[in-house]
Amino acid sequence: MKHFNFDNQQKKNEIFYKEPESFTKFTNRESLSFALGATLYMPATKATIAQDIIGNKYPELTSMVIDLEDAVGDLELEGAEQQLYEHLSTIKQAIDEQIITYDEIPLIFIRVRNPEQMTKITNRLGILQTVLTGYVFPKFSYETGKQYLRILRKWNSEDMVLYGMPILETAEIIYKESRVEALLRIKSLIDSYKDFILNIRIGATDFCGLFGIRRKADITIYDVAIIRECITDIINIFNRKDSSYVISGPVWEFFTKEQRILKPKLRTSPFQEKFGTNGLELRSEIINQYMDGLMNEVILDKLNGLHGKTVIHPTHLSIVNALYIVTHEEYIDALSVIDNSEQQIGVAKSLYGNKMNEMKPHLYWAKQIILRAKVFGVFNPSQDFTTILMEEQNQNELFEVK
């Protein structure tokens, strides 16, 4: 897999100062944890999952979750488990027949309902799990987490690499009186399994449901005070530099138009100055599709130290991933911080001449930028996210669902 794997090398050279690097499930965990980007959820009942992957229906798709939990009704569950088996069998057969390779399939995860179902699924899949990158654990708590992680460890070996992604979304985490104790217990548990943990994910929809809250497409999750407060505590406990995990941004659940109340925050100049009338048309289309709300939330995710995002529609993929490409300024600052830190220099003016880089406070940030640059690439000085979105639009793929 590779983000923004354009066929045109000239176009790559025009956009990227440093091209994104390829990755697979076998890439080292530290890099892979930053590589997921926009992770697309699909219900296991979707009939075309295997064919879509084999046929590369969504070129921008690099990570996905086949869902057996909330996306599948109780009466559909038995059929969904059978379809999951058939999906993975078809993909494995295509690999065995050299129709595709492991390098060409996205990172695939299964979201199970509970540890009992995970035991059932893993036993049935057996060797088919080589197609998977891992499992997603919903309603993760200290007690259920112990069961999930024991099963996960059992199936890991030199020949089988499987990761876990806990979702923090239970009442004990959102309720103030139990939150810190619950998070600290979970942290102590997963620290014992750290080599198997790829991401920590945040179940904002379940959190909102406990309070009868549902946000709108022109409002970010950070505008919901009670969720913002909980996300703050999750970041505080799981993203400390001495013992950190990659935390992914909460799901973006909108893909249809509705009446807009608030004005769009998407400025005109980034689109108009580079692409003129075509740029303004692209901006209008983004606003019409309510993707400016998604963009605003991804920017806030990044600002708060989150990497990647759960999405539920293919049109979200390019927008999220484009915003995770490292800017040339970020990259040069990060290299400078790391280099000056090694030389034990305390502070230095940015090579862009617009800020001071302090080596000790900015070192953790710089290391994360370098990891992001490996998998998402670095823009040339004159390029930004609008270039990627315009390229996708020119190919009639940005808002088209094939």
Side-chain angles (χ1 to χ4, degrees):
M1 279 286 103
K2 188 176 183 179
H3 289 293
F4 312 108
N5 195 19
F6 301 126
D7 293 332
N8 188 331
Q9 186 59 49
Q10 182 178 352
K11 177 59 66 175
K12 291 181 185 178
N13 294 341
E14 175 187 326
I15 295 173
F16 291 106
Y17 177 81
K18 179 184 184 300
E19 284 188 36
E21 297 179 14
S22 299
F23 57 90
T24 70
K25 62 175 287 185
F26 302 105
T27 299
N28 70 81
R29 185 185 69 90
E30 186 178 43
S31 295
L32 195 63
S33 63
F34 281 84
L36 272 65
T39 300
L40 180 65
Y41 270 53
M42 294 183 183
T45 51
K46 179 176 167 60
T48 61
I49 287 178
Q51 289 72 27
D52 291 349
I53 291 172
I54 296 167
N56 194 29
K57 182 176 182 179
Y58 308 115
E60 308 85 7
L61 178 63
T62 55
S63 67
M64 61 177 290
V65 174
I66 302 176
D67 193 2
L68 287 169
E69 200 218 6
D70 287 344
V72 175
D74 293 344
L75 297 179
E76 301 175 292
L77 185 57
E78 185 176 345
E81 291 176 348
Q82 176 61 28
Q83 281 190 286
L84 169 68
Y85 180 80
E86 292 171 2
H87 294 322
L88 298 184
S89 296
T90 301
I91 296 168
K92 182 66 165 61
Q93 182 178 351
I95 292 171
D96 292 343
E97 294 175 356
Q98 299 183 347
I99 297 170
I100 56 173
T101 68
Y102 282 105
D103 292 353
E104 294 171 318
I105 64 173
L107 306 177
I108 304 173
F109 301 84
I110 299 172
R111 181 161 78 160
V112 290
R113 290 190 168 203
N114 49 52
E116 293 74 25
Q117 186 189 48
M118 184 178 177
T119 297
K120 176 183 176 183
I121 294 294
T122 53
N123 287 336
R124 182 177 185 190
L125 292 179
I127 194 64
L128 289 181
Q129 291 174 105
T130 56
V131 173
L132 300 176
T133 302
Y135 288 85
V136 177
F137 306 135
K139 314 294 189 294
F140 194 87
S141 68
Y142 181 80
E143 294 302 327
T144 61
K146 286 190 293 186
Q147 299 174 65
Y148 280 131
L149 294 173
R150 285 171 187 159
I151 300 167
L152 186 70
R153 174 178 278 169
K154 170 187 172 183
W155 282 99
N156 265 277
S157 66
E158 291 183 1
D159 301 320
M160 184 86 74
V161 178
L162 291 170
Y163 292 105
M165 297 199 294
I167 309 179
L168 306 181
E169 56 184 348
T170 59
E172 66 174 357
I173 291 173
I174 191 67
Y175 292 167
K176 183 184 285 287
E177 67 272 19
S178 55
R179 179 184 308 149
V180 173
E181 180 183 355
L183 290 175
L184 289 173
R185 292 187 78 206
I186 290 170
K187 175 68 162 51
S188 70
L189 171 65
I190 67 171
D191 281 347
S192 302
Y193 293 85
K194 188 163 188 175
D195 290 345
F196 305 118
I197 303 297
L198 196 58
N199 272 194
I200 304 295
R201 310 192 79 87
I202 299 172
T205 302
D206 278 45
F207 283 155
C208 286
L210 291 168
F211 298 92
I213 295 170
R214 187 165 194 182
R215 61 192 170 109
K216 296 291 187 179
D218 54 354
I219 296 174
T220 75
I221 197 65
Y222 298 95
D223 295 308
V224 183
I226 197 162
I227 309 302
R228 179 180 65 244
E229 181 183 284
C230 185
I231 292 174
T232 299
D233 288 338
I234 291 171
I235 294 168
N236 192 316
I237 289 172
F238 288 94
N239 194 25
R240 300 177 185 183
K241 68 177 183 179
D242 55 344
S243 179
S244 67
Y245 294 86
V246 172
I247 307 169
S248 294
V251 65
W252 182 260
E253 58 187 9
F254 302 98
F255 58 90
T256 57
K257 301 175 184 179
E258 60 179 39
Q259 183 179 5
R260 182 181 291 273
I261 298 173
L262 301 177
K263 289 183 178 180
K265 293 184 177 180
L266 198 59
R267 294 175 60 237
T268 298
S269 53
F271 296 88
Q272 185 175 33
E273 290 174 1
K274 191 175 296 181
F275 299 108
T277 301
N278 290 338
L280 292 177
E281 291 176 356
L282 172 61
R283 176 182 177 273
S284 294
E285 187 65 15
I286 289 171
I287 291 171
N288 290 340
Q289 299 288 337
Y290 270 81
M291 296 299 183
D292 57 311
L294 171 59
M295 294 173 71
N296 188 19
E297 187 162 294
V298 172
I299 290 167
L300 290 172
D301 287 342
K302 289 166 56 182
L303 181 64
N304 285 283
L306 308 186
H307 299 274
K309 196 162 192 67
T310 300
V311 299
I312 48 81
H313 200 268
T315 55
H316 301 158
L317 299 172
S318 291
I319 286 179
V320 172
N321 291 336
L323 289 168
Y324 275 95
I325 300 175
V326 174
T327 67
H328 185 264
E329 181 175 346
E330 288 174 321
Y331 187 64
I332 296 302
D333 279 344
L335 290 177
S336 175
V337 167
I338 291 171
D339 182 57
N340 285 328
S341 179
E342 291 172 352
Q343 298 180 41
Q344 298 187 345
I345 295 172
V347 64
K349 187 169 78 170
S350 165
L351 294 177
Y352 267 70
N354 58 0
K355 69 179 80 65
M356 298 302 292
N357 289 328
E358 295 188 58
M359 308 317 150
K360 290 182 179 179
H362 292 141
L363 183 59
Y364 180 33
W365 167 86
K367 290 178 177 178
Q368 290 183 321
I369 291 294
I370 298 302
L371 285 168
R372 233 176 72 205
K374 284 186 65 175
V375 290
F376 287 99
V378 179
F379 281 124
N380 275 318
S382 60
Q383 305 292 349
D384 59 29
F385 70 93
T386 60
T387 306
I388 298 291
L389 300 188
M390 182 58 72
E391 181 66 19
E392 297 285 353
Q393 182 75 337
N394 288 340
Q395 297 177 28
N396 297 315
E397 294 179 349
L398 183 57
F399 298 109
E400 178 186 2
V401 180
K402 302 176 187 174

